[in-house]
Amino acid sequence: MTTPQHHRVVSWLERALLLLTVSFLCIHTLPRAWRTLNTDFPNYYLAAHLAHEGYDTSRMYEWPWIEREKDHRAIDIRVIGLLPITPFSTLAVWPLTGFTPLHAKHIWILLNLAFLIPIGWMLRSLTGLSAQRIALAMFLSFPLHRNLLYGQFYVILLLLLTAACFSYLRGHRALAGALVAIAAACKVFPLLLFVFFLQRRDWRALASGALTGLSAVAISIAIFGLNAHRTWLQEILPWVMRGEGLGTYTAAASISGVLHCLFLSEPQWNPHPWHASVLCYSLLAPALQMLALAPAILLIRRKDHSKHRILLEWSALLTAALAISTIPASYNFVLMLFPVCVLAATLLQRGYHLWLAALIAAYLGIGFPFPVPNRPLGLSVLLYVPRLPLMMAVLCGTYALLWRDTTQTSSTRDWSRYAWPIVMATSVILSASSTLHIERAMRQEYAYRLPLQTQGFLNSTPQLIRNEISYSSFTFTGYQLVTHVQNGVRVNPAADAPYDNLSFTRDPGHTFVEQASSPRSQLIDLQDTTHLVIEDAREPALSSDGHDLSFIRDDHGRGRLMLRRAFQSNTAPDVALTPLQLNIYEDSFLSESEYAFSATEAGHQPQIYITDATHNNSPITLEASRYPSLSPDRRWMAYSHLDRGVWNLWLRDRASGATHRIADVPCNQIQPSWESDSHTLLYSTDCGRSIWFTAVARRRVIP
């Protein structure tokens, strides 16, 4: 039994701790967030800025493409990328695109701080906790500090999901469904909350959510175009769902990440797993995720409309969604503020003070940024992911409260309680079978990987000239041209250079590199870096005789294939090879009368066009095809074709038009280039890695 004096002591301790946390926010977090852009805010800002300026954003998910646009605007951050952000979520910063990036971030930080006020007010109304305790829970959240530092999105997401539950409890079911749909259009995983509406047979909320979701998608497509959404849905989402979107072998707080480290090998990122077994991974990943999620669904009780029950069910689904997330960055867990406040109020009401202390410890541990080594070995990976077991502990505690209340208040039978286990078991079996097939097939590609000495996260557009392999390599310091020579490795530029080398072409005497900087890209010769070859150009390609140089020039995100004849002459004019209605992605150039390129027209998928003796910029029947590469002997064209969400290598006989598939693997094989024998290809592949984080491979395709 507590006394008034005890309450006063606790209250003063809470005030002192609140003062410390607010002081830390004002003295440490906000100044750091205010001074620099950091990692995430520029992603949202640049995508919205490009759309606001009327750019063609079909390729905005491609790492080099968005990096180039960042460089052209001199945005003060070293690397940038949109994956796996949804296009719709970037529209939140649309009103800020008229400001410079840093000023826009300042406004974003102030907005996020302002959003904490309605979040706190709603949590106080929902849980009955005092404003002081809710504020303390907010500012003790390390993920909140990360959100402000990085300019992330999750404070807005917390506002949407809290407002959805608040609206539902006040009978505004349509509004609740609409708010969840907006949250799901931004970050996908709130889709799980629609299970709450389904279990409770709340058709109004479901209908409102469906209508709002469709409207959000329609708005997003109208602004960003169909191709960007097709890429996200067909190519990116499947990889993210199976834990291979970003940080595949990172010891983060995800079930898939830990299992990748323990059971799946990758020559560069995870060469020595604890027990290399595709079968173990395929069985455990879907089973463990479903075990974490299933009780949150099965414990929903349609006939129990009590406020306490609804809050616990909402908390369980939200916590489960975070627990099974495949990309659980630290800032995501600011969302734990809602379930922790609900659980704390429940435990205080029931007098479970020891359990409350355990909850507080878990909450602090979930948010605390524990250091993680780059490559933890074996079972030691489990020592570096305390967030995951702590999340599971909170989830189990929530399920225990739901189960106890269920056994006390409900004995009704519902047919859906038996249908759901069947659906879940079927889902696990199908997912395990699919995962086993995908992971086994991916590892067949390892036989063709080159064990290069220097590799980045992404290694693209490989070329071989005189036994020297060159490729563009992406690291945290930017994009560099890496060349493996007989005596070592050449890297250009240096790590502290203010520009990126995003594309290149080579012959025995010259290396022409695209330097992406503000206000536009330029081609230079590495043998004479003071000589500007061409301004406003990307994707250079030398003709087979070395006299002419083709390149692509962009206008508002749309590429046009250009040619400079006798390019060594400063007076040579630039000639357009393609019409304006085509948006050129990449090309393969042998001469002015013989070249191929991939392009889109009027929002359709990219396809390959060819100019030679029988074609004149005519599309050949290769829909959803990119990365053409004409062989030096002029007999073959290698290319990549999109099938079931991945790009695989194909070969076309230029004389007969016959095509055949080189490989059938559930991962990407892109950017092929021929070796001088016209029998062997170098190409980029992301098999066994994160999507589009490619390594270099070599394959003989002509006997």
PDB file of all heavy atoms in Angstrom, residues 441-469:
ATOM      1  N   ALA A 441      18.109 -21.409 -55.325  1.00  0.00           N
ATOM      2  CA  ALA A 441      18.392 -20.964 -56.690  1.00  0.00           C
ATOM      3  C   ALA A 441      19.366 -19.786 -56.690  1.00  0.00           C
ATOM      4  O   ALA A 441      20.243 -19.694 -57.561  1.00  0.00           O
ATOM      5  CB  ALA A 441      17.092 -20.581 -57.391  1.00  0.00           C
ATOM      6  N   MET A 442      19.226 -18.882 -55.722  1.00  0.00           N
ATOM      7  CA  MET A 442      20.142 -17.746 -55.653  1.00  0.00           C
ATOM      8  C   MET A 442      21.586 -18.196 -55.506  1.00  0.00           C
ATOM      9  O   MET A 442      22.498 -17.630 -56.124  1.00  0.00           O
ATOM     10  CB  MET A 442      19.765 -16.846 -54.472  1.00  0.00           C
ATOM     11  CG  MET A 442      18.629 -15.887 -54.736  1.00  0.00           C
ATOM     12  SD  MET A 442      18.458 -14.738 -53.349  1.00  0.00           S
ATOM     13  CE  MET A 442      17.152 -13.676 -53.955  1.00  0.00           C
ATOM     14  N   ARG A 443      21.813 -19.185 -54.695  1.00  0.00           N
ATOM     15  CA  ARG A 443      23.183 -19.594 -54.407  1.00  0.00           C
ATOM     16  C   ARG A 443      23.840 -20.353 -55.549  1.00  0.00           C
ATOM     17  O   ARG A 443      25.052 -20.558 -55.532  1.00  0.00           O
ATOM     18  CB  ARG A 443      23.208 -20.388 -53.094  1.00  0.00           C
ATOM     19  CG  ARG A 443      23.259 -19.439 -51.925  1.00  0.00           C
ATOM     20  CD  ARG A 443      22.563 -19.823 -50.668  1.00  0.00           C
ATOM     21  NE  ARG A 443      22.607 -18.667 -49.756  1.00  0.00           N
ATOM     22  CZ  ARG A 443      21.762 -17.631 -49.824  1.00  0.00           C
ATOM     23  NH1 ARG A 443      20.791 -17.633 -50.724  1.00  0.00           N
ATOM     24  NH2 ARG A 443      21.890 -16.602 -49.010  1.00  0.00           N
ATOM     25  N   GLN A 444      23.064 -20.752 -56.546  1.00  0.00           N
ATOM     26  CA  GLN A 444      23.670 -21.321 -57.749  1.00  0.00           C
ATOM     27  C   GLN A 444      24.491 -20.278 -58.500  1.00  0.00           C
ATOM     28  O   GLN A 444      25.437 -20.609 -59.221  1.00  0.00           O
ATOM     29  CB  GLN A 444      22.584 -21.890 -58.663  1.00  0.00           C
ATOM     30  CG  GLN A 444      21.820 -23.060 -58.065  1.00  0.00           C
ATOM     31  CD  GLN A 444      20.647 -23.489 -58.936  1.00  0.00           C
ATOM     32  OE1 GLN A 444      20.455 -22.987 -60.045  1.00  0.00           O
ATOM     33  NE2 GLN A 444      19.852 -24.431 -58.438  1.00  0.00           N
ATOM     34  N   GLU A 445      24.126 -19.018 -58.335  1.00  0.00           N
ATOM     35  CA  GLU A 445      24.822 -17.932 -59.032  1.00  0.00           C
ATOM     36  C   GLU A 445      26.208 -17.661 -58.443  1.00  0.00           C
ATOM     37  O   GLU A 445      27.050 -17.035 -59.090  1.00  0.00           O
ATOM     38  CB  GLU A 445      23.961 -16.669 -58.967  1.00  0.00           C
ATOM     39  CG  GLU A 445      24.470 -15.492 -59.752  1.00  0.00           C
ATOM     40  CD  GLU A 445      24.343 -15.653 -61.255  1.00  0.00           C
ATOM     41  OE1 GLU A 445      23.684 -16.618 -61.696  1.00  0.00           O
ATOM     42  OE2 GLU A 445      24.905 -14.825 -61.979  1.00  0.00           O
ATOM     43  N   TYR A 446      26.470 -18.143 -57.220  1.00  0.00           N
ATOM     44  CA  TYR A 446      27.773 -17.908 -56.597  1.00  0.00           C
ATOM     45  C   TYR A 446      28.919 -18.477 -57.429  1.00  0.00           C
ATOM     46  O   TYR A 446      30.048 -17.985 -57.353  1.00  0.00           O
ATOM     47  CB  TYR A 446      27.816 -18.527 -55.199  1.00  0.00           C
ATOM     48  CG  TYR A 446      26.991 -17.817 -54.153  1.00  0.00           C
ATOM     49  CD1 TYR A 446      26.852 -18.342 -52.875  1.00  0.00           C
ATOM     50  CD2 TYR A 446      26.350 -16.614 -54.423  1.00  0.00           C
ATOM     51  CE1 TYR A 446      26.103 -17.701 -51.893  1.00  0.00           C
ATOM     52  CE2 TYR A 446      25.593 -15.965 -53.464  1.00  0.00           C
ATOM     53  CZ  TYR A 446      25.473 -16.515 -52.203  1.00  0.00           C
ATOM     54  OH  TYR A 446      24.729 -15.870 -51.244  1.00  0.00           O
ATOM     55  N   ALA A 447      28.654 -19.515 -58.210  1.00  0.00           N
ATOM     56  CA  ALA A 447      29.709 -20.144 -59.015  1.00  0.00           C
ATOM     57  C   ALA A 447      30.293 -19.182 -60.042  1.00  0.00           C
ATOM     58  O   ALA A 447      31.409 -19.399 -60.529  1.00  0.00           O
ATOM     59  CB  ALA A 447      29.158 -21.385 -59.714  1.00  0.00           C
ATOM     60  N   TYR A 448      29.550 -18.131 -60.374  1.00  0.00           N
ATOM     61  CA  TYR A 448      29.999 -17.192 -61.403  1.00  0.00           C
ATOM     62  C   TYR A 448      30.540 -15.889 -60.812  1.00  0.00           C
ATOM     63  O   TYR A 448      30.998 -15.025 -61.565  1.00  0.00           O
ATOM     64  CB  TYR A 448      28.841 -16.878 -62.362  1.00  0.00           C
ATOM     65  CG  TYR A 448      28.253 -18.110 -63.002  1.00  0.00           C
ATOM     66  CD1 TYR A 448      27.110 -18.718 -62.477  1.00  0.00           C
ATOM     67  CD2 TYR A 448      28.846 -18.684 -64.111  1.00  0.00           C
ATOM     68  CE1 TYR A 448      26.574 -19.852 -63.052  1.00  0.00           C
ATOM     69  CE2 TYR A 448      28.320 -19.823 -64.703  1.00  0.00           C
ATOM     70  CZ  TYR A 448      27.184 -20.405 -64.162  1.00  0.00           C
ATOM     71  OH  TYR A 448      26.665 -21.537 -64.737  1.00  0.00           O
ATOM     72  N   ARG A 449      30.503 -15.740 -59.509  1.00  0.00           N
ATOM     73  CA  ARG A 449      30.979 -14.516 -58.871  1.00  0.00           C
ATOM     74  C   ARG A 449      32.501 -14.415 -58.946  1.00  0.00           C
ATOM     75  O   ARG A 449      33.217 -15.413 -58.801  1.00  0.00           O
ATOM     76  CB  ARG A 449      30.528 -14.486 -57.407  1.00  0.00           C
ATOM     77  CG  ARG A 449      29.043 -14.261 -57.211  1.00  0.00           C
ATOM     78  CD  ARG A 449      28.709 -12.805 -57.081  1.00  0.00           C
ATOM     79  NE  ARG A 449      29.278 -12.286 -55.855  1.00  0.00           N
ATOM     80  CZ  ARG A 449      28.649 -12.325 -54.669  1.00  0.00           C
ATOM     81  NH1 ARG A 449      27.440 -12.838 -54.567  1.00  0.00           N
ATOM     82  NH2 ARG A 449      29.228 -11.830 -53.594  1.00  0.00           N
ATOM     83  N   LEU A 450      33.003 -13.193 -59.140  1.00  0.00           N
ATOM     84  CA  LEU A 450      34.435 -12.957 -59.156  1.00  0.00           C
ATOM     85  C   LEU A 450      34.902 -12.533 -57.765  1.00  0.00           C
ATOM     86  O   LEU A 450      34.324 -11.618 -57.174  1.00  0.00           O
ATOM     87  CB  LEU A 450      34.783 -11.864 -60.168  1.00  0.00           C
ATOM     88  CG  LEU A 450      34.527 -12.196 -61.636  1.00  0.00           C
ATOM     89  CD1 LEU A 450      34.951 -11.029 -62.522  1.00  0.00           C
ATOM     90  CD2 LEU A 450      35.268 -13.455 -62.049  1.00  0.00           C
ATOM     91  N   PRO A 451      35.943 -13.184 -57.236  1.00  0.00           N
ATOM     92  CA  PRO A 451      36.443 -12.835 -55.893  1.00  0.00           C
ATOM     93  C   PRO A 451      37.350 -11.613 -55.954  1.00  0.00           C
ATOM     94  O   PRO A 451      38.566 -11.690 -55.778  1.00  0.00           O
ATOM     95  CB  PRO A 451      37.208 -14.099 -55.491  1.00  0.00           C
ATOM     96  CG  PRO A 451      37.706 -14.655 -56.796  1.00  0.00           C
ATOM     97  CD  PRO A 451      36.666 -14.321 -57.830  1.00  0.00           C
ATOM     98  N   LEU A 452      36.752 -10.457 -56.175  1.00  0.00           N
ATOM     99  CA  LEU A 452      37.526  -9.233 -56.326  1.00  0.00           C
ATOM    100  C   LEU A 452      38.030  -8.736 -54.981  1.00  0.00           C
ATOM    101  O   LEU A 452      37.362  -8.868 -53.955  1.00  0.00           O
ATOM    102  CB  LEU A 452      36.669  -8.160 -56.998  1.00  0.00           C
ATOM    103  CG  LEU A 452      36.157  -8.528 -58.404  1.00  0.00           C
ATOM    104  CD1 LEU A 452      35.239  -7.444 -58.933  1.00  0.00           C
ATOM    105  CD2 LEU A 452      37.318  -8.763 -59.358  1.00  0.00           C
ATOM    106  N   GLN A 453      39.200  -8.120 -54.997  1.00  0.00           N
ATOM    107  CA  GLN A 453      39.842  -7.689 -53.757  1.00  0.00           C
ATOM    108  C   GLN A 453      39.101  -6.532 -53.098  1.00  0.00           C
ATOM    109  O   GLN A 453      38.948  -6.486 -51.879  1.00  0.00           O
ATOM    110  CB  GLN A 453      41.284  -7.281 -54.058  1.00  0.00           C
ATOM    111  CG  GLN A 453      42.060  -6.773 -52.849  1.00  0.00           C
ATOM    112  CD  GLN A 453      43.469  -6.356 -53.220  1.00  0.00           C
ATOM    113  OE1 GLN A 453      43.951  -6.666 -54.296  1.00  0.00           O
ATOM    114  NE2 GLN A 453      44.133  -5.648 -52.322  1.00  0.00           N
ATOM    115  N   THR A 454      38.644  -5.584 -53.904  1.00  0.00           N
ATOM    116  CA  THR A 454      37.970  -4.389 -53.384  1.00  0.00           C
ATOM    117  C   THR A 454      36.546  -4.351 -53.894  1.00  0.00           C
ATOM    118  O   THR A 454      36.319  -4.274 -55.105  1.00  0.00           O
ATOM    119  CB  THR A 454      38.710  -3.108 -53.813  1.00  0.00           C
ATOM    120  OG1 THR A 454      40.052  -3.161 -53.315  1.00  0.00           O
ATOM    121  CG2 THR A 454      38.011  -1.872 -53.262  1.00  0.00           C
ATOM    122  N   GLN A 455      35.574  -4.422 -52.987  1.00  0.00           N
ATOM    123  CA  GLN A 455      34.174  -4.372 -53.366  1.00  0.00           C
ATOM    124  C   GLN A 455      33.425  -3.444 -52.420  1.00  0.00           C
ATOM    125  O   GLN A 455      33.718  -3.385 -51.236  1.00  0.00           O
ATOM    126  CB  GLN A 455      33.532  -5.759 -53.319  1.00  0.00           C
ATOM    127  CG  GLN A 455      34.134  -6.772 -54.277  1.00  0.00           C
ATOM    128  CD  GLN A 455      33.344  -8.057 -54.305  1.00  0.00           C
ATOM    129  OE1 GLN A 455      32.214  -8.097 -54.774  1.00  0.00           O
ATOM    130  NE2 GLN A 455      33.930  -9.120 -53.786  1.00  0.00           N
ATOM    131  N   GLY A 456      32.453  -2.731 -52.978  1.00  0.00           N
ATOM    132  CA  GLY A 456      31.590  -1.897 -52.167  1.00  0.00           C
ATOM    133  C   GLY A 456      30.277  -2.605 -51.894  1.00  0.00           C
ATOM    134  O   GLY A 456      30.135  -3.817 -52.106  1.00  0.00           O
ATOM    135  N   PHE A 457      29.301  -1.834 -51.425  1.00  0.00           N
ATOM    136  CA  PHE A 457      27.974  -2.413 -51.231  1.00  0.00           C
ATOM    137  C   PHE A 457      27.332  -2.733 -52.576  1.00  0.00           C
ATOM    138  O   PHE A 457      26.626  -3.719 -52.728  1.00  0.00           O
ATOM    139  CB  PHE A 457      27.086  -1.432 -50.456  1.00  0.00           C
ATOM    140  CG  PHE A 457      27.624  -1.074 -49.113  1.00  0.00           C
ATOM    141  CD1 PHE A 457      28.048   0.213 -48.840  1.00  0.00           C
ATOM    142  CD2 PHE A 457      27.729  -2.022 -48.112  1.00  0.00           C
ATOM    143  CE1 PHE A 457      28.554   0.561 -47.604  1.00  0.00           C
ATOM    144  CE2 PHE A 457      28.232  -1.694 -46.876  1.00  0.00           C
ATOM    145  CZ  PHE A 457      28.650  -0.397 -46.618  1.00  0.00           C
ATOM    146  N   LEU A 458      27.582  -1.861 -53.545  1.00  0.00           N
ATOM    147  CA  LEU A 458      27.017  -2.018 -54.880  1.00  0.00           C
ATOM    148  C   LEU A 458      28.156  -1.861 -55.874  1.00  0.00           C
ATOM    149  O   LEU A 458      28.907  -0.891 -55.838  1.00  0.00           O
ATOM    150  CB  LEU A 458      25.937  -0.949 -55.120  1.00  0.00           C
ATOM    151  CG  LEU A 458      25.184  -0.916 -56.445  1.00  0.00           C
ATOM    152  CD1 LEU A 458      23.827  -0.254 -56.236  1.00  0.00           C
ATOM    153  CD2 LEU A 458      25.944  -0.141 -57.517  1.00  0.00           C
ATOM    154  N   ASN A 459      28.304  -2.853 -56.777  1.00  0.00           N
ATOM    155  CA  ASN A 459      29.375  -2.850 -57.764  1.00  0.00           C
ATOM    156  C   ASN A 459      28.738  -3.034 -59.128  1.00  0.00           C
ATOM    157  O   ASN A 459      28.179  -4.096 -59.418  1.00  0.00           O
ATOM    158  CB  ASN A 459      30.359  -3.972 -57.471  1.00  0.00           C
ATOM    159  CG  ASN A 459      30.801  -3.981 -56.008  1.00  0.00           C
ATOM    160  OD1 ASN A 459      31.653  -3.234 -55.593  1.00  0.00           O
ATOM    161  ND2 ASN A 459      30.160  -4.844 -55.206  1.00  0.00           N
ATOM    162  N   SER A 460      28.775  -1.993 -59.962  1.00  0.00           N
ATOM    163  CA  SER A 460      27.940  -1.984 -61.165  1.00  0.00           C
ATOM    164  C   SER A 460      28.748  -1.720 -62.426  1.00  0.00           C
ATOM    165  O   SER A 460      29.897  -1.270 -62.369  1.00  0.00           O
ATOM    166  CB  SER A 460      26.844  -0.919 -61.025  1.00  0.00           C
ATOM    167  OG  SER A 460      27.419   0.367 -60.910  1.00  0.00           O
ATOM    168  N   THR A 461      28.106  -1.988 -63.560  1.00  0.00           N
ATOM    169  CA  THR A 461      28.623  -1.763 -64.922  1.00  0.00           C
ATOM    170  C   THR A 461      30.061  -2.238 -65.091  1.00  0.00           C
ATOM    171  O   THR A 461      30.952  -1.457 -65.455  1.00  0.00           O
ATOM    172  CB  THR A 461      28.505  -0.275 -65.307  1.00  0.00           C
ATOM    173  OG1 THR A 461      29.255   0.520 -64.389  1.00  0.00           O
ATOM    174  CG2 THR A 461      27.056   0.177 -65.322  1.00  0.00           C
ATOM    175  N   PRO A 462      30.351  -3.508 -64.834  1.00  0.00           N
ATOM    176  CA  PRO A 462      31.735  -3.990 -64.984  1.00  0.00           C
ATOM    177  C   PRO A 462      32.158  -4.022 -66.457  1.00  0.00           C
ATOM    178  O   PRO A 462      31.360  -4.305 -67.349  1.00  0.00           O
ATOM    179  CB  PRO A 462      31.672  -5.390 -64.387  1.00  0.00           C
ATOM    180  CG  PRO A 462      30.257  -5.826 -64.594  1.00  0.00           C
ATOM    181  CD  PRO A 462      29.426  -4.583 -64.447  1.00  0.00           C
ATOM    182  N   GLN A 463      33.438  -3.737 -66.703  1.00  0.00           N
ATOM    183  CA  GLN A 463      34.021  -3.802 -68.040  1.00  0.00           C
ATOM    184  C   GLN A 463      35.422  -4.388 -67.936  1.00  0.00           C
ATOM    185  O   GLN A 463      36.128  -4.148 -66.954  1.00  0.00           O
ATOM    186  CB  GLN A 463      34.086  -2.412 -68.690  1.00  0.00           C
ATOM    187  CG  GLN A 463      32.742  -1.748 -68.908  1.00  0.00           C
ATOM    188  CD  GLN A 463      32.866  -0.370 -69.525  1.00  0.00           C
ATOM    189  OE1 GLN A 463      33.860  -0.065 -70.194  1.00  0.00           O
ATOM    190  NE2 GLN A 463      31.862   0.479 -69.303  1.00  0.00           N
ATOM    191  N   LEU A 464      35.815  -5.130 -68.975  1.00  0.00           N
ATOM    192  CA  LEU A 464      37.144  -5.738 -69.022  1.00  0.00           C
ATOM    193  C   LEU A 464      37.901  -5.190 -70.223  1.00  0.00           C
ATOM    194  O   LEU A 464      37.460  -5.340 -71.358  1.00  0.00           O
ATOM    195  CB  LEU A 464      37.049  -7.259 -69.115  1.00  0.00           C
ATOM    196  CG  LEU A 464      38.389  -8.007 -69.216  1.00  0.00           C
ATOM    197  CD1 LEU A 464      39.155  -7.901 -67.901  1.00  0.00           C
ATOM    198  CD2 LEU A 464      38.170  -9.472 -69.583  1.00  0.00           C
ATOM    199  N   ILE A 465      39.034  -4.546 -69.975  1.00  0.00           N
ATOM    200  CA  ILE A 465      39.917  -4.040 -71.022  1.00  0.00           C
ATOM    201  C   ILE A 465      41.340  -4.484 -70.693  1.00  0.00           C
ATOM    202  O   ILE A 465      41.872  -4.145 -69.624  1.00  0.00           O
ATOM    203  CB  ILE A 465      39.865  -2.495 -71.120  1.00  0.00           C
ATOM    204  CG1 ILE A 465      38.442  -2.016 -71.395  1.00  0.00           C
ATOM    205  CG2 ILE A 465      40.835  -1.996 -72.185  1.00  0.00           C
ATOM    206  CD1 ILE A 465      37.912  -2.398 -72.766  1.00  0.00           C
ATOM    207  N   ARG A 466      41.930  -5.287 -71.610  1.00  0.00           N
ATOM    208  CA  ARG A 466      43.302  -5.757 -71.424  1.00  0.00           C
ATOM    209  C   ARG A 466      43.518  -6.380 -70.049  1.00  0.00           C
ATOM    210  O   ARG A 466      44.450  -6.038 -69.316  1.00  0.00           O
ATOM    211  CB  ARG A 466      44.287  -4.611 -71.640  1.00  0.00           C
ATOM    212  CG  ARG A 466      44.421  -4.185 -73.104  1.00  0.00           C
ATOM    213  CD  ARG A 466      45.522  -3.157 -73.268  1.00  0.00           C
ATOM    214  NE  ARG A 466      45.742  -2.854 -74.683  1.00  0.00           N
ATOM    215  CZ  ARG A 466      46.618  -1.953 -75.125  1.00  0.00           C
ATOM    216  NH1 ARG A 466      47.351  -1.272 -74.244  1.00  0.00           N
ATOM    217  NH2 ARG A 466      46.761  -1.727 -76.411  1.00  0.00           N
ATOM    218  N   ASN A 467      42.625  -7.287 -69.688  1.00  0.00           N
ATOM    219  CA  ASN A 467      42.711  -8.038 -68.431  1.00  0.00           C
ATOM    220  C   ASN A 467      42.573  -7.162 -67.182  1.00  0.00           C
ATOM    221  O   ASN A 467      42.927  -7.589 -66.078  1.00  0.00           O
ATOM    222  CB  ASN A 467      44.021  -8.825 -68.349  1.00  0.00           C
ATOM    223  CG  ASN A 467      44.104  -9.901 -69.408  1.00  0.00           C
ATOM    224  OD1 ASN A 467      43.116 -10.578 -69.707  1.00  0.00           O
ATOM    225  ND2 ASN A 467      45.289 -10.057 -70.007  1.00  0.00           N
ATOM    226  N   GLU A 468      42.079  -5.939 -67.349  1.00  0.00           N
ATOM    227  CA  GLU A 468      41.805  -5.068 -66.214  1.00  0.00           C
ATOM    228  C   GLU A 468      40.294  -4.905 -66.072  1.00  0.00           C
ATOM    229  O   GLU A 468      39.621  -4.453 -67.005  1.00  0.00           O
ATOM    230  CB  GLU A 468      42.460  -3.700 -66.400  1.00  0.00           C
ATOM    231  CG  GLU A 468      43.975  -3.743 -66.417  1.00  0.00           C
ATOM    232  CD  GLU A 468      44.591  -2.371 -66.607  1.00  0.00           C
ATOM    233  OE1 GLU A 468      43.826  -1.388 -66.770  1.00  0.00           O
ATOM    234  OE2 GLU A 468      45.832  -2.275 -66.597  1.00  0.00           O
ATOM    235  N   ILE A 469      39.763  -5.296 -64.922  1.00  0.00           N
ATOM    236  CA  ILE A 469      38.326  -5.184 -64.671  1.00  0.00           C
ATOM    237  C   ILE A 469      38.056  -3.863 -63.955  1.00  0.00           C
ATOM    238  O   ILE A 469      38.666  -3.563 -62.923  1.00  0.00           O
ATOM    239  CB  ILE A 469      37.818  -6.351 -63.817  1.00  0.00           C
ATOM    240  CG1 ILE A 469      37.952  -7.668 -64.582  1.00  0.00           C
ATOM    241  CG2 ILE A 469      36.362  -6.131 -63.409  1.00  0.00           C
ATOM    242  CD1 ILE A 469      37.518  -8.885 -63.793  1.00  0.00           C
TER     243      ILE A 469
END
